[in-house]
Amino acid sequence: MSGSQADSMQSQRPAAGSDAAADDLGHRLEELNAIGASLSAERDINRLLESILAAAKTITRADGGTLYRLTEERTLRFEIVRTTSLKYYLGGTTGSPVPFYPIHLIGKDGKPNHGMVAAYAALTGQTVNIPDAYTAEGFDFSGTRNFDKKTGYRSTSFLTVPMKNHENEIIGVLQLINATHPKTGAIVAFSPSDQRLAESLASQAAIALTNRMLINQLEELFESFIGLINMAIDEKSPYTGGHCQRVPALTMMLAEAVNETREGPLAEFSMSDKDRYELKIAGLLHDCGKVTTPVHVVDKSTKLETIFDRIHQIDTRFEVLKRDAEIALLKEKALLVARGAPPAEQDAADARQRERLRRLEEDRAFLRACNIGGEAMKEADMERVRLIARYRWTDISGHEANFLSEDEVKNLTIRAGTLTQEERQVINHHIVATIKMLEALPWPRHLKNVAEYAGGHHERMDGKGYPRGLKREQMSVQARVMGIADIFEALTARDRPYKKGKTLSESLEILGKFRLNGHIDPDLFDVFIRRKVYRRYADLFLDQDQIDEVDEARIPGYVP
């Protein structure tokens, strides 16, 4: 559109009647101020866009409107379309996408698209106020007329306002249609005060939208960085990566169940969207300190495993003992033949050899079984390991030595699991590292509790946990929630190197015992069972063969 056409359009902006009464204008200014504050508080982009258009329609008394956003491809994309009298609602949270093609700011001929009023406002940064689209010249309203023909509507007055952010960049266009008279309801032109209010709102809305997009981008970047940390842990060990994803999910399930509780000792607990986001971040970061844990400890699937499983070295020693026994037998039989011993003595020597080889095979199978680890090891089995350790063999350097080293005996006599006490301390150090890492970050106010939530999931209600020995009253509900989530995930996890995932009933029985011995929060445990959080988690994350029948009445510590 040429400059003369633009001037012509500006001349077609007569005031639609007299300005609004002073008290009415004052009321609308108050509304504008309130709207500005509410826009800044909205976190969801779709709801924010809807709020912007709804607010603009309200303060200008427009029947319809469209909000466009400028894309990187230099087009205006329809985001929200609303026409109250037609009950015509598209885009945003409606679930009905806008079916219209984007408006191109540059035509196929490479020239600016000044023929479309929304494109003109975006290209020039000027507001366009049109009293009657059917008599206006200079803009293409053919699409509008086609819409009117299909719906029986009459799109008359248009107010098209560019949305400029704090850097004076156009980020979208706000278009309002059919201003209504406050008393008669008749369609009128948008007044100068309507235009000023809409321009002020568009400016506030653009800044609020830009800020929210920047915040969302920063949050997305932050969460991606957290994902990167968890990916690093996952790459170090396939046994912890899934844990880093499942614990946050279960944490949020239980927290939401507590939030919905309206009776009992947890009835006062509630979460806002900010609280939820804070807990979500804490859940995602609860094991970030595992990046410092040596992978050979994290992945230790057998008692003798370091960088490799040392059980194979012990197998070799057994082979050495067997060969030594065979050599000794041959020497003994040679002596018997040399002195003319009767065949019965040779047969006795063969029998002793068979017995020795049988015992060696049994001992080897026994040590292999011990190496696997498990729930508990009997004292008699530990003593048998120590007896085997005293066997003598000739090592590679030709020196006679005990069959097992002190370190091998120490590992093979681990009472439960595959970790020595020192290795458990190495594993446990991850929570100390987690707290140090999280407390070193300059958290914004709405995330200030992340370190406390994440750092408390190995504490116990009776103060016997680690690393700080906190008691129940010293911990937030969120940290206690995460403690239950961490334990239940570990019980049911099927990707641990040292055990199979337990069934639901087995896991709940153990969790109930933890409730009785002061390990976990009893009130949260009751919610976990009563609201069937365990079942929702199982449906999402457990194998079908783990989901067995649960008799809640038999769960220790739970009273239905």
Side-chain angles (χ1 to χ4, degrees):
M1 189 170 91
S2 66
S4 61
Q5 286 176 312
D7 292 340
S8 172
M9 291 312 307
Q10 294 296 325
S11 66
Q12 295 183 46
R13 298 180 190 167
S18 61
D19 286 346
D23 58 342
D24 178 59
L25 181 59
H27 174 70
R28 291 201 287 168
L29 284 170
E30 289 178 3
E31 282 187 326
L32 180 64
N33 290 333
I35 288 166
S38 66
L39 293 181
S40 298
E42 181 56 68
R43 294 177 59 88
D44 183 85
I45 291 291
N46 280 327
R47 288 202 298 265
L48 176 58
L49 295 174
E50 289 178 338
S51 297
I52 291 169
L53 183 57
K57 288 173 73 255
T58 297
I59 63 172
T60 60
R61 301 189 180 98
D63 180 53
T66 301
L67 192 149
Y68 308 87
R69 283 175 68 185
L70 186 64
T71 70
E72 293 182 358
E73 293 78 26
R74 300 290 291 167
T75 65
L76 288 176
R77 182 176 64 232
F78 288 82
E79 292 284 355
I80 313 289
V81 178
R82 299 284 187 273
T83 304
T84 303
S85 60
L86 291 177
K87 294 183 172 55
Y88 188 75
Y89 310 118
L90 298 174
T93 61
T94 64
S96 301
V98 183
F100 309 136
Y101 292 113
I103 297 173
H104 290 268
L105 299 189
I106 304 299
K108 293 181 179 179
D109 57 2
K111 296 180 180 179
N113 180 13
H114 284 166
M116 303 292 289
V117 63
Y120 176 81
L123 288 165
T124 65
Q126 296 180 22
T127 297
V128 181
N129 190 338
I130 299 175
D132 191 339
Y134 280 79
T135 61
E137 297 179 357
F139 291 113
D140 180 6
F141 282 104
S142 58
T144 298
R145 293 190 179 100
N146 287 334
F147 175 82
D148 288 354
K149 187 181 295 185
K150 291 178 180 178
T151 61
Y153 195 69
R154 193 179 194 285
S155 305
T156 305
S157 55
F158 277 73
L159 181 61
T160 308
V161 185
M163 296 172 63
K164 302 178 185 178
N165 65 17
H166 55 288
E167 295 180 344
N168 209 36
E169 297 172 336
I170 305 294
I171 66 166
V173 171
L174 185 60
Q175 188 171 79
L176 301 166
I177 304 173
N178 284 1
T180 57
H181 192 279
K183 292 183 179 179
T184 66
I187 304 302
V188 297
F190 289 94
S191 68
S193 59
D194 289 334
Q195 181 172 327
R196 289 192 294 272
L197 288 169
E199 288 172 338
S200 178
L201 173 61
S203 177
Q204 292 183 55
I207 293 172
L209 180 57
T210 300
N211 288 343
R212 175 43 52 193
M213 290 174 64
L214 286 172
I215 291 171
N216 285 0
Q217 289 168 0
L218 287 173
E219 288 179 348
E220 184 178 350
L221 176 63
F222 179 54
E223 290 185 39
S224 297
F225 181 69
I226 294 172
L228 192 67
I229 293 174
N230 287 340
M231 185 188 300
I233 296 172
D234 195 7
E235 287 297 316
K236 280 182 65 176
S237 169
Y239 306 121
T240 55
H243 176 81
C244 292
Q245 303 304 318
R246 292 189 292 265
V247 169
L250 182 52
T251 294
M252 297 311 299
M253 288 182 195
L254 179 52
E256 290 294 353
V258 178
N259 185 65
E260 295 165 3
T261 299
R262 295 292 178 265
E263 57 186 23
L266 294 169
E268 300 301 316
F269 177 82
S270 65
M271 293 189 299
S272 65
D273 286 343
K274 288 184 177 180
D275 296 331
R276 289 181 175 88
Y277 185 71
E278 185 176 38
L279 183 56
K280 171 189 171 183
I281 295 300
L284 289 170
L285 285 168
H286 83 285
D287 267 351
C288 65
K290 281 186 177 175
V291 297
T292 67
T293 307
V295 67
H296 72 273
V297 177
V298 176
D299 285 3
K300 192 180 181 190
S301 58
T302 64
K303 294 180 179 181
L304 289 174
E305 185 174 2
T306 51
I307 300 175
F308 62 93
D309 193 343
R310 291 175 289 169
I311 193 67
H312 304 301
Q313 291 182 331
I314 293 176
D315 281 341
T316 301
R317 290 177 212 161
F318 273 112
E319 289 302 317
V320 171
L321 288 183
K322 287 164 65 177
R323 291 191 180 105
D324 286 348
E326 289 172 359
I327 292 170
L329 174 63
L330 291 173
K331 287 181 179 179
E332 181 182 359
K333 291 178 75 172
L335 288 174
L336 290 173
V337 171
R339 67 180 177 83
E345 289 190 35
Q346 295 185 42
D347 292 342
D350 287 335
R352 288 193 300 272
Q353 173 71 349
R354 288 194 297 272
E355 175 61 23
R356 177 162 176 72
L357 293 179
R358 183 192 63 78
R359 189 169 66 251
L360 288 174
E361 284 299 330
E362 287 183 352
D363 288 344
R364 175 157 66 175
F366 171 72
L367 292 186
R368 279 184 162 275
C370 292
N371 189 42
I372 294 172
E375 297 299 327
M377 188 176 187
K378 298 176 183 178
E379 188 61 43
D381 290 337
M382 288 190 278
E383 183 57 32
R384 183 176 175 184
V385 171
R386 297 185 188 102
L387 288 173
I388 295 172
R390 292 198 288 269
Y391 290 172
R392 305 296 288 176
W393 78 297
T394 302
D395 62 25
I396 194 170
S397 60
H399 298 126
E400 193 176 86
N402 283 339
F403 188 72
L404 299 177
S405 69
E406 290 185 8
D407 183 71
E408 288 166 343
V409 172
K410 180 178 181 180
N411 279 270
L412 285 168
T413 55
I414 293 170
R415 186 173 294 276
T418 62
L419 299 177
T420 65
Q421 187 60 36
E422 293 78 13
E423 288 166 338
R424 288 190 182 279
Q425 289 174 359
V426 170
I427 291 284
N428 292 349
H429 180 74
H430 82 273
I431 192 62
V432 177
T434 294
I435 293 171
K436 285 182 179 178
M437 291 166 66
L438 297 182
E439 288 185 343
L441 294 175
W443 295 102
R445 185 171 60 183
H446 69 287
L447 296 175
K448 63 183 175 65
N449 295 311
V450 165
E452 191 266 326
Y453 295 167
H457 69 275
H458 283 299
E459 301 289 352
R460 291 174 46 133
M461 302 305 100
D462 56 10
K464 297 178 182 178
Y466 63 91
R468 292 172 171 167
L470 301 177
K471 291 189 175 181
R472 181 175 187 245
E473 57 272 15
Q474 296 174 290
M475 301 169 62
S476 63
V477 172
Q478 288 88 337
R480 288 180 260 156
V481 164
M482 199 171 296
I484 290 181
D486 189 75
I487 292 170
F488 192 74
E489 190 284 332
L491 289 171
T492 56
R494 57 188 182 276
D495 56 6
R496 294 298 189 270
Y498 49 83
K499 72 172 188 66
K500 293 170 58 178
K502 295 185 180 300
T503 64
L504 267 185
S505 59
E506 290 172 334
S507 301
L508 291 172
E509 181 179 1
I510 294 172
L511 197 68
K513 291 176 181 177
F514 280 9
R515 178 246 189 267
L516 292 175
N517 68 16
H519 195 130
I520 61 174
D521 186 285
D523 299 327
L524 290 174
F525 172 77
D526 287 344
V527 173
F528 188 78
I529 305 300
R530 184 180 307 117
R531 300 298 298 270
K532 294 188 172 15
V533 178
Y534 66 87
R535 181 67 201 210
R536 295 203 300 274
Y537 175 79
D539 290 339
L540 288 174
F541 295 105
L542 300 193
D543 285 342
Q544 197 59 42
D545 59 2
Q546 291 181 269
I547 305 176
D548 58 354
E549 193 69 29
V550 173
D551 183 356
E552 293 182 354
R554 301 185 65 178
I555 298 175
Y558 177 67
V559 180

